[in-house]
Amino acid sequence: MNMIEQVKENPGEAKEQMVSGVKGAANTIKEAINDVETLYENLNEDVVGKVTEVKDISTDALDSAKEATSELKGISSKVVVAGKQLKETPAQSLKDDNKKGEKESDELVTKSELSNEKSISSNF
């Protein structure tokens, strides 16, 4: 009721107050929109920057893991070869030594037999 009486008594002043109130509200809304835009830009930069950083770190970590896997495969194959050498070398050496010893023994026996045969035949 009071507002209607004020508009009737002084319509120009009421209009001016309403326009001023609307302009003030519009300015406040514009400031709020600018604040939201600034906040969005800051967050976007921070988030995109962090996401990019995390992506780079993840890529580096993945590359390091792949490299380590490759190196482990090389080390693993060397360990396998060393294990095979350890298993085969003593057994093979013993076999080779036994064969060599048997061969030398056979040669000595053969030489000895030949020598005995010569000495027996020279006695006759």
Side-chain angles (χ1 to χ4, degrees), residues 2 8 16 28 32-33 53 62 79 90 96 98 110-111 118:
N2 192 17
K8 281 183 185 179
E16 209 174 288
T28 303
I33 290 171
E53 186 178 337
L62 184 60
V79 170
D96 290 346
N98 285 341
T110 304
K111 285 181 183 177
K118 283 182 183 178

Side-chain angles (χ1 to χ4, degrees), residues 10 30 40 46 72 81 99 106 113:
N10 197 351
K30 285 179 184 179
Y40 173 78
D46 287 347
L72 282 173
V81 168
K99 286 181 182 177
D106 288 346
E113 287 174 352

Side-chain angles (χ1 to χ4, degrees), residues 26-83:
N27 286 335
T28 303
I29 289 173
K30 285 179 184 179
E31 287 176 12
I33 290 171
N34 286 335
D35 290 347
V36 168
E37 286 176 345
T38 302
L39 178 64
Y40 173 78
E41 289 171 2
N42 290 339
L43 285 175
N44 194 29
E45 287 175 14
D46 287 347
V47 170
V48 169
K50 297 292 183 197
V51 167
T52 302
E53 186 178 337
V54 168
K55 180 182 172 190
D56 292 343
I57 290 170
S58 298
T59 302
D60 290 346
L62 184 60
D63 290 343
S64 294
K66 286 180 181 178
E67 188 176 310
T69 301
S70 177
E71 289 177 15
L72 282 173
K73 284 181 183 177
I75 292 169
S76 172
S77 65
K78 288 180 182 178
V79 170
V80 169
V81 168

